[in-house]
Amino acid sequence: MQIKFGKKSKLNLCAGLDYRLVHVICEVARLDLPYDITIFETTRSISKQKEYVATGKSKTMNSKHIPDANGIVRAFDVVPYVNGKNTWDKKYYDAIIPIFKAVANSLYPDQIEFGYDWKFFDAAHIQIKTGCEI
């Protein structure tokens, strides 16, 4: 399936996201994916992060969604878009995350990590590894 980013995804791609993450997203979008995707969230305010921690959606206030001192965001959330709506069903992530991993590892080896692999499973989350910030 050819990816056709909607307005929200396009705005999120332009919201100060680290160029390496934008590059990975754009390269993945050129491939034939089993499902369409939404770039659901990039930039996150401190107040939104506090809300996510309070409700258990996040475990840290040290989120890479919060812009750094230079205004760069080091994380994004990708969501499969299936049958006209976003879905967080694991079976769809099982199909798309390996594609994101392959592209990320070919372009930026050992610089990008996936919430899909964490103990605190966060399938949608993709970020620049700590220590790999530019």
Side-chain angles (χ1 to χ4, degrees), residues 18-126:
D18 185 291
Y19 75 92
R20 293 168 289 181
L21 297 175
V22 173
H23 189 191
V24 168
I25 293 166
C26 290
E27 290 302 312
V28 167
R30 293 175 48 171
L31 301 174
D32 186 24
L33 298 182
Y35 309 104
D36 203 353
I37 58 172
T38 299
I39 304 307
F40 189 76
E41 189 170 32
T42 53
T43 302
R44 190 179 292 163
S45 67
I46 292 172
S47 62
K48 179 57 88 174
Q49 187 63 26
K50 285 180 182 177
E51 175 188 323
Y52 283 179
V53 170
T55 60
K57 290 181 181 176
S58 181
K59 298 289 184 192
T60 182
M61 279 303 298
N62 192 25
S63 173
K64 294 189 180 195
H65 284 282
I66 298 170
D68 68 13
N70 296 314
I72 299 172
V73 177
R74 308 283 182 194
F76 71 94
D77 292 335
V78 61
V79 179
Y81 188 78
V82 181
N83 297 324
K85 60 183 177 180
N86 290 324
T87 179
W88 285 261
D89 189 320
K90 185 181 180 298
K91 70 180 179 182
Y92 299 112
Y93 282 103
D94 290 344
I96 66 167
I97 292 300
I99 298 167
F100 271 91
K101 284 182 178 183
V103 171
N105 289 329
S106 71
L107 295 172
Y108 305 102
D110 299 318
Q111 294 181 43
I112 298 172
E113 62 186 347
F114 297 80
Y116 185 89
D117 298 327
W118 296 345
K119 185 177 179 181
F120 174 69
F121 186 72
D122 187 358
H125 188 82
I126 300 172

